[in-house]
Amino acid sequence: MPSDQKPGTESSGPRHVAIIMDGNGRWAQARGRPRLFGHHAGAKRVREVVEACPSLGIKYLTIFAFSTENWKRTQVEVAGLMSLFRRYIAKETRALHARGVRVRFIGDRVRLDAKLIALMDTLEEQTCENDSVHLTIALNYGGRDEVARATRRLARDVAEGRLKPEEVDEETLPRYLDTRVLPDPDLVIRTSGEARISNFLLWQSAYSEYEFIDTLWPDFTADELARLCQSYGSRDRRFGAVKA
Ligand code: FPP
């Protein structure tokens, strides 16, 4: 779904913020601890950020928890992350629901274990009526993989006569993406000083504003998010147009 904010009509803060939560490993290493220690500290930050969203006018928050490329990490780190996701979901479900947070997952579930998928399904179902904040967790997600999976579904619809090739355009294709019910992100933040997008929301972020900040994810705070939202408010988004 394209951003519903048009030039000149946007409210001052971002409505949809997407975050690449980077720097957990370096944060842990700087303390002489294993990388997983950093991921656990990073998970704690997610709660603080979700809680800050309503007062900052953020209706949609999308976070990059595990990429299609992260399987290349050591078996210990991958297993530790999967266990962290299971524990996070089991532990946070009640608090997320109590705060009226609607949770969705994007990404390919095929490589995830059955227990994790069951927890994801339950969290999505339990929170499906909530509307205070829409939290989307990208898990085994890659932008190119998402576009490839979407194209496969689209091609099937064409082959089976449900869609004509000439009907495929910028409005049709996003209806096949994992994010089909979400607006495009207004602001994408990446922590830890790396200035790249690493296969995150490739289609959806075509017109997003970007913030690359030095803070390592476990040190990221609600105050820093507020500062970035404020600075977003002073940007001039023209979506390719020229101001009259
Ligand atoms: C990148 O830091 C971070 C990840 C690959 C995992 C992100 C996961 C969390 C923040 C854990 C919690 C998330 C949820 C939804 C419970 P890195 O390991 O690449 O850090 P580095 O660049 O310093 O090595």
Side-chain angles (χ1 to χ4, degrees):
M1 191 190 290
S3 173
D4 46 9
Q5 290 188 342
K6 295 288 179 262
T9 63
E10 59 265 35
S11 64
S12 63
R15 190 160 165 261
H16 184 176
V17 173
I19 308 183
I20 302 173
M21 308 179 287
D22 197 11
N24 297 345
R26 275 164 284 166
W27 186 90
Q29 275 158 359
R31 287 158 181 77
R33 305 294 300 267
R35 296 176 57 79
L36 275 168
F37 181 70
H39 295 314
H40 280 267
K44 290 192 189 125
R45 286 298 156 185
V46 173
R47 181 190 270 224
E48 181 179 337
V49 168
V50 173
E51 286 177 359
C53 285
S55 65
L56 296 171
I58 299 169
K59 189 79 183 170
Y60 297 88
L61 176 71
T62 301
I63 55 175
F64 205 0
F66 193 89
S67 78
T68 46
E69 289 72 36
N70 286 152
W71 298 103
K72 294 179 201 152
R73 296 186 174 208
T74 64
Q75 203 266 332
V76 169
E77 185 169 352
V78 170
L81 275 166
M82 293 300 149
S83 155
L84 171 61
F85 298 141
R86 285 194 298 271
R87 271 197 280 163
Y88 176 86
I89 296 174
K91 197 168 138 256
E92 293 291 314
T93 294
R94 191 194 290 251
L96 288 165
H97 189 38
R99 290 186 180 276
V101 178
R102 177 167 187 173
V103 183
R104 295 182 179 88
F105 292 90
I106 56 171
D108 193 354
R109 296 185 181 200
V110 286
R111 273 184 88 174
L112 303 177
D113 76 60
K115 203 170 159 202
L116 177 56
I117 294 172
L119 285 162
M120 290 157 66
D121 283 340
T122 307
L123 182 53
E124 283 187 335
E125 277 159 29
Q126 281 190 355
T127 61
C128 72
E129 311 251 301
N130 295 343
D131 189 43
S132 77
V133 176
H134 291 242
L135 171 66
T136 302
I137 303 176
L139 230 173
N140 192 27
Y141 174 86
R144 288 183 174 180
D145 178 68
E146 179 191 34
V147 171
R149 286 186 288 105
T151 308
R152 208 177 303 145
R153 284 195 292 268
L154 188 151
R156 207 170 290 136
D157 276 356
V158 170
E160 291 169 11
R162 287 186 289 274
L163 187 71
K164 297 192 184 89
E166 55 275 21
E167 285 171 341
V168 179
D169 59 18
E170 287 186 30
E171 300 284 315
T172 321
L173 195 139
R175 288 189 212 134
Y176 290 82
L177 295 174
D178 297 351
T179 53
R180 55 194 156 269
V181 298
L182 303 174
D184 288 342
D186 301 299
L187 175 64
V188 180
I189 299 168
R190 182 178 188 141
T191 57
S192 93
E194 312 285 355
R196 53 177 179 266
I197 57 173
S198 298
N199 209 4
F200 189 44
L201 302 176
L202 296 181
W203 174 281
Q204 300 86 341
S205 63
Y207 282 100
S208 303
E209 299 292 327
Y210 275 87
E211 286 279 6
F212 298 104
I213 57 165
D214 288 336
T215 310
L216 302 176
W217 175 252
D219 290 329
F220 188 79
T221 60
D223 283 348
E224 189 148 25
L225 179 62
R227 181 182 66 72
L228 296 173
C229 288
Q230 205 168 18
S231 134
Y232 168 93
S234 61
R235 292 181 182 210
D236 181 19
R237 296 184 82 196
R238 293 189 298 277
F239 298 88
V242 176
K243 275 228 164 124

